[in-house]
Amino acid sequence: MKKIIIPILLISGLWLISSCQSKDFLDETQTTDLDEATVFSDSTYTTAFLTDIYTSIGFASDFDRFNDGGFWATPSGGLQTACDEAEPRQLAKITTDVQFATGTVNPVIIDVSSWNKPYENIRKVNLFLKHIPEAPLTEGRKTRYIAEARFLRAWYYSVLLKHYGGIPLVGDTIFSPTDEIKPVRASFADCVDYIVSECDKAAMDLANNPSGRDRGRAGAGACKALKARVLLFAASPLFNGSDFASEKPEIKNLLGYPEYDKERWKLARDAAKAVISMGGYSLYVDNGEEPGRGFYRIFIPSDWVADGAYRGTILEHKRSPGRWRENLFQPPSRGGGGGGWPYQELADVFPMKNGKAITDPNSGYDPNNPYANRDPRFNNTFVADQTPLRNAATESVPVNIFLGNYNGQPQGQDAVHTGTPTGYYFRKQQHRQCAANYFIDVNQARPLMRYAEVLLNYAEAQNEYEGPVSDIYDALKLIRERAGIDPGPDGMFGITPGLSQKAMRELIQTERRVELAMEGFRFWDVRRWMIADQTENKIMHGMEVRRNGSNVSYTKFEVRKRIFRKAMYFWPIPYKEVAKSPTLVQNPYYDNN
């Protein structure tokens, strides 16, 4: 931990922002090496130092988070391939997502960025807070920057909390290279309280939702949404009085609350309600041109700013324009590949356009035409056989994933077992006018917190606290309306009225899986719900499409047997950190690795 919290004092790689008002706050960067005195005696450098802390804010849910570590790193995937959403890429080096797929996670080879990056950025925040009083900035700007820094510190602690449970809290301390550090993990409760307190304090001095070139900076809405997210985790089964590691009572307080308390659900509900009550956010509904177009546009809202496409974005991770997502996820014929391939199990949870599950006999699902009349989010999440996709300068060219021969074309490089091991590619968050093999670059920013998540957080907490009351239905109907699902004659968007608490719980969990697919939520959701031993311990499937002229068949096939061990509910603290810090307690069931 000493290595992480005490980097050299030279401030390297400082991001300098442009003064051009038409640009985003992370645009037009350059790097330099400056000492602390120089940085905090100049307003531009001071602002750039804070901006630099934003650059890693989305690392934990980046789609290419895991890679082979080479100079030109080859991506394997991210949290989407570390859970039951997608099949990871196979590389010569065993990557962390493959470790989670095969049950071989251990402290020696685990990805260390989940420990290093947060503490590196927490230290940057503490340096910033130490020196901001002396910076040549107006008092109003200092106040705002301090609040942003506190939010960022809370954000990075929340990332640590999800991975490890209770972690060392360093407060405002900035350790020097000569300090002797004996890191001790704080209790889970103390970490939650600290994050919530920081969010509350930061929200007081921030605008609700920064816009324009400040979009991506923290606002009061982001502070409140992060608070709601953390409290939802705290109320969830894994942390709220579970029996996990019950044979080690001496560390139970590091992994959650020893005793269950239903009132934690109320805290989570009220925190989500506070975001809803702000009134500044709503779901961007656009079903006119095509059903579910609003869902497509929320991931590339910069093209439709005037239409209000940002109204559902609470916090955005800024990235330079390019073809990053397209390079990761598009088929080989488009020049992409490597960010993971969706499993059939994920495809099957997407309902029909009438909102009914494909297992419902009244849904209209046809196994001989499985992609017809599905929830519009399906076509905005997956590339299936014959999905139209831009190919270089040509729009809407069908992707040939089939085996056999169709329209005079034999199977090709995009085919199942050749280009994709599952029969699918990901389409979500990709601009329809962009292809990996085309020259057009598009905005690569992505949402880290969305209003839809807040509605789902509220629905879940409210259901656990009061049961399936009417406002839960209202929240789910809003999400399904924006998705482009038909309201039906009863206006219920396919939701069955009068559900039990258990049935509503299952519906909310399914809706999260569909709405938030591959956004970095599923990996954590199955853990906090304590169902990972079921969802991550099974055979995963793909879809094999065979075409011979007009004849077509669809056959599910086995892709991988995923293996889950109890230890994997939490990440192991990297071995090097535990080895050099005897006071740093390792998470359960990793001691023998």
Side-chain angles (χ1 to χ4, degrees), residues 6 9 80 107 120 125 129 169 212 219 230 237 252 277 301 355 359-361 374 378 383 442 456 524 526 528:
I6 311 178
L9 294 180
Q80 74 277 3
E120 288 168 359
V125 170
L129 294 176
L169 297 173
V230 170
K252 275 191 68 67
S277 299
T359 54
D360 188 322
R374 299 295 290 272
F378 184 94
V383 174
V442 297
L456 289 165
W524 304 115
V526 298
R528 67 183 181 84

Side-chain angles (χ1 to χ4, degrees), residues 288-324:
E289 187 174 340
E290 67 178 73
R293 192 164 179 83
F295 180 79
Y296 158 64
R297 287 179 165 182
I298 61 174
F299 299 106
I300 43 175
S302 59
D303 280 22
W304 295 281
V305 174
D307 294 340
Y310 270 110
R311 71 186 67 159
T313 301
I314 298 175
L315 183 68
E316 186 178 44
H317 183 199
K318 308 299 289 186
R319 293 187 72 135
S320 299
R323 283 161 277 172
W324 168 61

Side-chain angles (χ1 to χ4, degrees), residues 5 74 106 109 125 161 172 237 245 250 263-265 302-303 306 322 405 428 461 465 467 475 481 509 511 533 590:
I5 298 181
T74 302
N106 69 76
I109 61 174
V125 170
L161 190 70
D172 295 328
E250 68 276 10
E263 293 303 307
R264 294 191 183 104
W265 287 112
S302 59
D303 280 22
N405 191 292
K428 192 173 185 180
Y465 191 67
E481 177 187 15
Q509 291 180 354
E511 199 68 27
D533 56 333
Y590 288 113

Side-chain angles (χ1 to χ4, degrees), residues 358-378:
I358 65 172
T359 54
D360 188 322
N362 297 315
S363 69
Y365 175 71
D366 181 0
N368 295 314
N369 193 11
Y371 310 137
N373 301 315
R374 299 295 290 272
D375 175 341
R377 290 175 293 188
F378 184 94

Side-chain angles (χ1 to χ4, degrees), residues 96-158:
T96 290
D97 52 345
V98 173
Q99 293 172 43
F100 276 104
T102 57
T104 57
V105 178
N106 69 76
V108 177
I109 61 174
I110 191 71
D111 169 54
V112 299
S113 66
S114 53
W115 183 270
N116 290 5
K117 281 185 181 292
Y119 275 120
E120 288 168 359
N121 282 285
I122 288 166
R123 187 176 193 278
K124 289 178 183 178
V125 170
N126 289 349
L127 275 171
F128 183 83
L129 294 176
K130 173 185 176 182
H131 291 291
I132 186 67
E134 65 208 48
L137 298 168
T138 65
E139 290 305 312
R141 178 153 294 200
K142 286 181 181 180
T143 298
R144 177 162 70 89
Y145 281 2
I146 289 170
E148 286 186 34
R150 298 187 87 142
F151 166 81
L152 288 166
R153 185 166 59 183
W155 176 272
Y156 287 111
Y157 271 123
S158 75

